[in-house]
Amino acid sequence: MRRYLKLTCLVGIVLCIFLAIPLSVRAANLPPPGSSAYSVLGPPTVSAAFIDRVLTAYGSPAAGKGQALYDEGVAYGIDPVFALAFFMHESSFGTAGMARVTFSLGNLRCIPDAACVNGYAAFQSWESGFDAWYKLIRNVYAGSWGLTTVAAIIPRYAPASDHNNESAYIAAVESSVDAWRSQQIGVQGTGPSSTGSTTGSSAPSGTPYYPPDGYKILGKPTISVQFIEQVLTAYHSPAVGHGQALYDDALKYGIDPAYALAFFMHDSIFGTVGLARVTHALNAIPTPVSATCHCQALNGYRQYDTWEDGFSDWYSFINEQYIKHNLTTIGQIIPAYAHTQNSYAIASFIQAVEHRVDVWRSAQAGTTQPHTT
């Protein structure tokens, strides 16, 4: 009985001490309601130098603008690691889709204080594009709507009604943030174009680099339908289940489907970024539409009803524009195919496609994983 009374007294003393502590002191030691490691508001968790390392590794045309991306984040009270993650998901750092001509970090639709190009806001510089994105997130999403976390922002920013996979988008942004906060340059499923070789980073500025013509797109398949499906599944592609079509069209034109898959990855990370999410295009082919493409125009590009139509038209385009003119290797095709005259970007494009083909051929042989970067 005495032990029970002593225990009761001890509990009462502890409770009195706790209640005597000011509420404000206790509250300061508790996590704020709704807090999240993925709240966009806060100080930088990556440096300007690190941002530039990422942009350079992925062959971004915005490489060298890391300080601007960082400074704008500080000015708006937004951790720039999130801007970098949106930039990656929307356009693979400006290397895919409309961002190549609009300088838009987030593929923003037309807004009053920017030019309008094919339905998208276009800016005079990457810096202006960065500022517009930060302003939108800070003033509208956080300031007006009270949406501050990745999970809260994306359903409004990229809703399912616009053919977006909201959960995949959220996972991709959060995964990128985790990787970069750990100082990892490469993100799972989106290896830098410089991975596996130093050619892109060591090529002198202004000097075109065209590798030996050892990568001929004509030939028998070096990867199987099952392997194509493995890759599309590993990258959460909306084209999962259509690997047979990509393979069969390759047979029709005598092209190794490993190259089509590599172009698909480079342009839109298998349909997960840029306009490909709604155009079903293996690669963005500008209008006009052709009589045989089974497509319509959307913002200056060909849009298809199905991935099968998109794949078929890409193979036909490659055959008509390049193969029939005796351009049959990656080194010959890409300088004419790329939407740029920048020699470094061309060299990075060539290197990325050839490296990816090498990796997948090795994976098909069983020496690496299909999604290895």
Side-chain angles (χ1 to χ4, degrees):
M1 184 67 175
R2 285 183 178 180
R3 289 182 179 178
Y4 176 77
L5 290 173
K6 287 181 179 179
L7 181 59
T8 302
C9 290
L10 181 60
V11 171
I13 291 169
V14 171
L15 182 60
C16 289
I17 292 172
F18 178 77
L19 292 174
I21 298 173
L23 179 61
S24 60
V25 174
R26 299 204 308 270
N29 293 319
L30 295 174
S35 65
S36 169
Y38 304 109
S39 171
V40 300
L41 302 181
T45 56
V46 293
S47 67
F50 182 82
I51 293 171
D52 258 327
R53 287 170 60 198
V54 172
L55 296 176
T56 299
Y58 281 83
S60 170
K65 307 293 185 180
Q67 189 68 56
L69 189 70
Y70 181 94
D71 291 344
E72 292 286 353
V74 172
Y76 283 97
I78 294 176
D79 184 348
V81 74
F82 291 102
L84 195 64
F86 273 79
F87 195 14
M88 180 177 191
H89 190 78
E90 284 293 325
S91 66
S92 195
F93 304 113
T95 65
M98 287 296 296
R100 291 177 292 196
V101 296
T102 61
F103 299 107
S104 179
L105 180 152
N107 276 335
L108 305 185
R109 289 293 182 174
C110 294
I111 55 179
D113 53 351
C116 188
V117 177
N118 294 327
Y120 290 87
F123 305 95
Q124 294 297 313
S125 66
W126 286 112
E127 290 87 344
S128 296
F130 299 161
D131 180 76
W133 185 86
Y134 279 119
K135 184 182 296 181
L136 173 69
I137 297 300
R138 181 70 202 203
N139 295 346
V140 179
Y141 283 83
S144 297
W145 298 337
L147 306 177
T148 60
T149 66
V150 171
I153 290 170
I154 285 175
R156 292 288 292 270
Y157 187 96
S161 59
D162 286 346
H163 309 285
N164 295 295
N165 185 328
E166 294 174 9
S167 60
Y169 198 150
I170 292 168
V173 168
E174 293 181 351
S175 176
S176 299
V177 167
D178 289 341
W180 293 328
R181 283 175 171 170
S182 300
Q183 297 296 295
Q184 299 175 40
I185 297 293
V187 175
Q188 178 68 28
T190 58
S193 61
S194 58
T195 301
S197 173
T198 59
T199 302
S201 60
S202 62
S205 178
T207 303
Y209 171 73
Y210 304 129
D213 292 345
Y215 293 86
K216 299 178 179 180
I217 67 171
L218 294 177
K220 296 180 179 179
T222 57
I223 56 175
S224 65
V225 174
Q226 292 76 17
F227 184 84
I228 293 170
E229 285 294 346
Q230 278 185 275
V231 172
L232 296 177
T233 300
Y235 285 85
H236 308 290
S237 169
V240 168
H242 300 282
Q244 187 71 58
L246 189 142
Y247 184 92
D248 289 345
D249 279 320
L251 292 180
K252 176 181 176 180
Y253 288 96
I255 295 174
D256 183 349
Y259 290 105
L261 200 62
F263 275 84
F264 195 15
M265 179 174 189
H266 184 272
D267 189 69
S268 65
I269 313 180
F270 307 112
T272 63
V273 304
L275 277 176
R277 290 176 294 186
V278 294
T279 60
H280 300 104
L282 186 150
N283 183 267
I285 300 178
T287 52
V289 300
S290 71
T292 59
C293 74
H294 303 291
C295 62
Q296 52 276 338
L298 176 68
N299 296 326
Y301 291 91
R302 297 182 185 182
Q303 180 187 34
Y304 311 90
D305 291 332
T306 66
W307 286 108
E308 286 85 352
D309 287 341
F311 296 160
S312 178
D313 193 41
W314 184 83
Y315 281 113
S316 175
F317 181 81
I318 292 296
N319 183 61
E320 292 295 324
Q321 298 296 318
Y322 306 107
I323 294 174
K324 287 189 175 181
H325 297 281
N326 296 316
L327 302 177
T328 60
T329 70
I330 295 305
Q332 292 173 322
I333 291 172
I334 286 178
Y337 180 98
H339 300 286
T340 180
Q341 297 299 314
N342 182 284
S343 59
Y344 175 77
I346 291 171
S348 295
F349 192 165
I350 292 171
Q351 177 187 337
V353 169
E354 295 182 349
H355 170 68
R356 187 57 47 184
V357 168
D358 287 341
V359 168
W360 287 332
R361 285 172 172 171
S362 296
Q364 176 75 82
T367 59
T368 62
Q369 293 298 312
H371 58 280
T372 300
T373 56

